Amino acid sequence: DDAKAKEKATGVLYDSTTTRFWDTYLDGRFIELFAVKLGGDTPPTDGVALTRGYKADIVTKPEGDESSFVITRDGASVFFAAAPSGSSQGMGDPSSLYTVPLNASAPPQRLDSAAATSDSVLALSPDGLRLAYLAKKGSVFTAPRARVMIRDLKSGTTHELAPALDRSPVAIAWSADSNTLYAVAEDVGQERIFALNALTGAFKPLTGEGHVAGLDVAQGMVVYSRDALDSPAQVFELGGGVRERALTHVGEDSLAQTPMSAFEQFAFTGWNGETVHGYVIKPADYQAGRKYPVAFLIHGGPHGYFGNAWSYRWNPQVWSGMGYAVVTVDFHGSSGYGEAFAKSIVGHWGDRPLEDLQKGWAYSLGRYTFLDGDHACALGGSYGGYMVAWIAGNWAQPWKCLVDHDGVFDIRLMSYSTDI
């Protein structure tokens, strides 16, 4: 900042990065790693810069967190995942694994120069012998599956754990005995915790319905937050003979005064004769034999989902509370249904999802007689907004209104235009 204040020129020269990322102009500063020693009651000593001069964010913006780095059990070094130093942010350079001494005696070194995957979300086994991380092959716009990888820190060899798990984890954590790796992944309209055997790769789901948003593990217990279409997030635990137990009851009084509407998952035959899932949510004042106007909500992404989860942005219970029935469809391209399902719309951003939406709408009208198909609105944000614009030109007949929120308006090079 001091050096910038002394410059007389007002222009900015960008020679090693993009000019902006989403809603922020880049100024040449990066999120670095520092080591700070803590000792009893004495104040922390000054931090040691571990990545000074490294021109890439160690914790990515805007949604990165501490899973970007781990400290080795002996306290000698740090592993982190980042894009190559000097790479253009957001322009396709994959993030890789690096190591740096905790005393900053050497610059960061890449662990595997031949790796072509984009690596992130690190977890070190309690025995200190193995590093687990998530790796993706290919562009984010082609919906690559996040694969759970294990690196033997002594030999340097890596292998994929549980390759038969056709889901894309977003968080991982080790058991205390280093024999199990817990992974959070979307799964057919839910987001579950899976337990992966760290030796055999065998896996099983530990949680049922709902959306798990984070987890931690200690003393044989798994602690996590879970929400659902009819409940905001609460903290739960399982393990030690306990199947599942709520630890918090946040907003209990308010929730008791706010009845949530009933919902149901359904399945139908969509594009290419393949099974597609969706949800229907009844209106708050539901009475058998009556018909209700419908809010047909379309999720963003497109590699996202509109499943059994609570939302503070597009919450079906808001429309239900106003007297609408709600229908959602996890069209082809949605996450949580396998890699092939997600990849099937690459190059088909409009036609295949639209076919699923049309068939899902027809199916729901035929099955749920309380839906008033003559009084319905299609609404969506981001990719959902793009699809609403697509509907306006290709399928406007059923709708009394269309709502396009923050919709993408242009497609370039088989990808969605962004603010990069």
Side-chain angles (χ1 to χ4, degrees):
D1 288 338
D2 292 340
K4 192 70 177 176
K6 296 176 182 178
E7 293 182 3
K8 295 182 179 180
T10 57
V12 178
L13 175 64
Y14 291 88
D15 57 4
S16 64
T17 186
T18 46
T19 57
R20 59 182 276 153
F21 185 76
W22 293 101
D23 62 350
T24 304
Y25 281 97
L26 303 179
D27 60 5
R29 291 183 290 186
F30 302 94
I31 299 177
E32 300 183 5
L33 279 183
F34 293 81
V36 179
K37 289 186 178 181
L38 306 176
D41 297 329
T42 60
T45 59
D46 292 337
V48 176
L50 305 182
T51 55
R52 179 71 73 202
Y54 196 91
K55 296 184 177 181
D57 290 321
I58 307 303
V59 177
T60 58
K61 294 178 285 193
E63 297 177 342
D65 57 31
E66 69 276 10
S67 68
S68 298
F69 59 91
V70 293
I71 302 173
T72 57
R73 299 302 176 202
D74 59 8
S77 57
V78 181
F79 295 111
F80 67 87
S85 179
S87 60
S88 294
Q89 185 170 359
M91 295 302 287
D93 290 309
S95 57
S96 300
L97 300 180
Y98 294 83
T99 182
V100 62
L102 203 62
N103 61 7
S105 59
Q109 296 294 320
R110 187 177 176 184
L111 293 183
D112 187 355
S113 60
T117 56
S118 184
D119 306 326
S120 62
V121 187
L122 281 57
L124 188 66
S125 62
D127 60 18
L129 301 178
R130 288 162 291 174
L131 178 67
Y133 60 97
L134 300 180
K136 294 182 178 182
K137 297 180 180 179
S139 166
V140 64
F141 290 112
T142 63
R145 176 169 64 92
R147 303 169 187 270
V148 180
M149 305 298 294
I150 302 293
R151 182 181 181 90
D152 186 299
L153 295 181
K154 184 176 181 179
S155 66
T157 59
T158 61
H159 71 277
E160 181 180 358
L161 182 66
L165 178 62
D166 190 18
R167 295 295 181 262
S168 193
V170 295
I172 52 177
W174 287 92
S175 63
D177 59 10
S178 299
N179 291 330
T180 302
L181 192 66
Y182 300 102
V184 178
E186 295 170 3
D187 181 38
V188 192
Q190 320 295 329
E191 187 150 5
R192 313 182 200 272
I193 299 176
F194 290 85
L196 284 60
N197 186 301
L199 297 177
T200 67
F203 59 88
K204 63 179 180 179
L206 295 184
T207 57
E209 296 187 351
H211 167 259
V212 173
L215 84 161
D216 205 348
V217 183
Q219 296 184 353
M221 302 297 292
V222 180
V223 180
Y224 57 97
S225 66
R226 192 196 70 186
D227 56 79
L229 273 169
D230 58 356
S231 173
Q234 302 289 354
V235 178
F236 290 79
E237 68 174 357
L238 62 82
V242 177
R243 175 57 186 167
E244 184 175 68
R245 180 171 63 187
L247 298 179
T248 64
H249 303 276
V250 176
E252 193 172 45
D253 294 339
S254 297
L255 291 171
Q257 303 172 41
T258 311
M260 298 295 170
S261 298
F263 60 92
E264 177 180 305
Q265 189 177 39
F266 60 87
F268 61 94
T269 301
W271 172 79
N272 201 34
E274 297 172 3
T275 300
V276 177
H277 293 79
Y279 275 91
V280 62
I281 300 94
K282 291 181 177 179
D285 61 347
Y286 175 77
Q287 297 177 25
R290 287 186 56 186
K291 283 187 175 290
Y292 296 88
V294 187
F296 189 54
L297 304 185
I298 304 171
H299 70 70
H303 308 301
Y305 79 122
F306 233 145
N308 187 11
W310 187 262
S311 172
Y312 293 93
R313 185 183 181 199
W314 283 82
N315 193 321
Q317 293 285 352
V318 172
W319 277 271
S320 173
M322 294 189 291
Y324 293 92
V326 180
V327 174
T328 67
V329 170
D330 280 352
F331 45 81
H332 275 80
S334 300
S335 53
Y337 299 90
E339 189 172 23
F341 190 91
K343 285 180 173 293
S344 64
I345 68 165
V346 175
H348 292 272
W349 307 117
D351 55 339
R352 292 175 182 176
L354 177 64
E355 182 175 336
D356 285 345
L357 292 169
Q358 291 173 325
K359 291 181 175 179
W361 177 243
Y363 176 87
S364 60
L365 289 180
R367 175 167 179 170
Y368 304 104
T369 57
F370 58 87
L371 300 178
D372 186 351
D374 293 326
H375 294 84
C377 181
L379 317 90
S382 191
Y383 172 83
Y386 162 78
M387 178 49 66
V388 167
W390 188 267
I391 287 173
N394 293 275
W395 186 40
Q397 297 85 355
W399 312 110
K400 291 296 184 183
C401 71
L402 298 172
V403 177
D404 175 348
H405 165 71
D406 202 17
V408 174
F409 63 90
D410 196 6
I411 295 179
R412 303 287 175 90
L413 302 177
M414 309 304 288
S415 301
Y416 292 102
S417 63
T418 70
D419 288 328
I420 300 173

